[in-house]
Amino acid sequence: SQTIHQWPATLVQPVGSPLSLECTVEGTSNPNLYWYRQAAGRGLQLLFYSVGIGQISSEVPQNLSASRPQDRQFILSSKKLLLSDSGFYLCAWGRKRGANTEAFFGQGTRLTVV
Amino acid sequence: RKEVEQDPGPFNVPEGATVAFNCTYSNSASQSFFWYRQDCRKEPKLLMSVYSSGNEDGRFTAQLNRASQYISLLIRDSKLSDSATYLCVLHNQAGTALIFGKGTTLSVSS
């Protein structure tokens, strides 16, 4: 069976500090991978998605970046965090079922920038 | 018009009630639709995919109306454990990622 791991679960970082969140998937190969952010009281916002190693698509302009160095590893980074980067960051992998792609999420990282 | 719109609620219902949520979408080319459930401070979890002919899973029924561009979720015989936020989801135009509505909050009380 497939599993997705995301860490850390919570993080408190000062403004201007760097960020690195990691996500790995087990039990599948060449999955679509996604980073979403959910700000307090708001919906999920798609940040990045990847259909393969080294292939990253960005959905919104921001000071965040993503990388996919291995097939089942997806990393979200920032060189300098802003207060507005606070939120609940969720990694997900996509399972194809016919024409559908169902997304399965990791447990998320709750980031507070202070 | 937003890509996915939902009534935020909250919907407050007693146990055993039947409750329905609607969701409208703007992209008529969307082909795939889902309902996710999110508990407080947890990750969203897939509840069910929505098929053109409508589909049922136990107490949950999902329907799609392409002409009017809306999908619905019906929950029968509500349980306390159904209390959560229900997210309407569809594929983006490229079919590569999922677009989420802001969710409808359901609170079931005894």
Side-chain angles (χ1 to χ4, degrees):
Chain A
S1 63
Q2 301 86 7
T3 55
I4 179 167
H5 303 280
Q6 187 182 342
W7 65 93
T10 59
L11 193 59
V12 180
Q13 292 283 102
V15 169
S17 64
L19 173 73
S20 181
L21 301 181
E22 188 164 343
C23 169
T24 59
V25 180
E26 296 177 359
T28 186
S29 58
N30 195 31
N32 284 1
L33 295 174
Y34 312 94
W35 279 110
Y36 285 86
R37 175 173 62 200
Q38 189 173 37
R42 302 184 68 178
L44 273 77
Q45 179 186 34
L46 177 64
L47 301 176
F48 300 96
Y49 69 90
S50 171
V51 298
I53 296 174
Q55 300 178 62
I56 309 293
S57 296
S58 175
E59 289 292 301
V60 293
Q62 59 214 322
N63 70 319
L64 299 171
S65 61
S67 62
R68 185 169 178 174
Q70 300 180 47
D71 181 43
R72 289 170 289 177
Q73 184 185 28
F74 205 23
I75 298 172
L76 182 70
S77 305
S78 174
K79 292 181 179 177
K80 288 186 177 182
L81 284 169
L82 307 172
L83 286 175
S84 57
D85 290 325
S86 294
F88 190 34
Y89 288 82
L90 291 151
C91 179
W93 72 276
R95 180 176 71 185
K96 294 182 179 62
R97 277 202 162 187
N100 284 359
T101 298
E102 299 168 341
F104 296 90
F105 288 85
Q107 292 187 336
T109 296
R110 202 161 294 279
L111 171 67
T112 303
V113 182
V114 296
Chain B
R1 184 178 176 186
K2 294 180 182 175
E3 287 189 271
V4 184
E5 292 200 68
Q6 294 183 252
D7 180 346
F11 284 61
N12 299 304
V13 303
E15 276 186 291
T18 296
V19 61
F21 307 135
N22 285 335
C23 163
T24 58
Y25 60 94
S26 59
N27 184 359
S28 59
S30 297
Q31 295 295 320
S32 301
F33 308 88
F34 312 87
W35 283 101
Y36 277 70
R37 170 195 168 124
Q38 186 174 24
D39 292 293
C40 187
R41 299 180 69 82
K42 298 287 189 181
E43 75 276 18
K45 293 185 177 178
L46 177 65
L47 180 64
M48 57 199 303
S49 299
V50 185
Y51 301 114
S52 295
S53 55
N55 46 300
E56 187 174 307
D57 183 2
R59 297 182 293 109
F60 299 85
T61 301
Q63 291 195 312
L64 168 63
N65 185 318
R66 288 190 185 277
S68 300
Q69 293 181 212
Y70 79 82
I71 67 174
S72 64
L73 177 67
L74 182 76
I75 305 175
R76 291 181 299 277
D77 188 23
S78 298
K79 312 290 185 190
L80 292 175
S81 57
D82 292 334
S83 297
T85 297
Y86 290 84
L87 306 170
C88 174
V89 185
L90 48 80
H91 270 174
N92 66 352
Q93 194 154 357
T96 49
L98 297 182
I99 307 300
F100 286 75
K102 291 187 178 180
T104 298
T105 300
L106 172 66
S107 177
V108 182
S109 57
S110 57

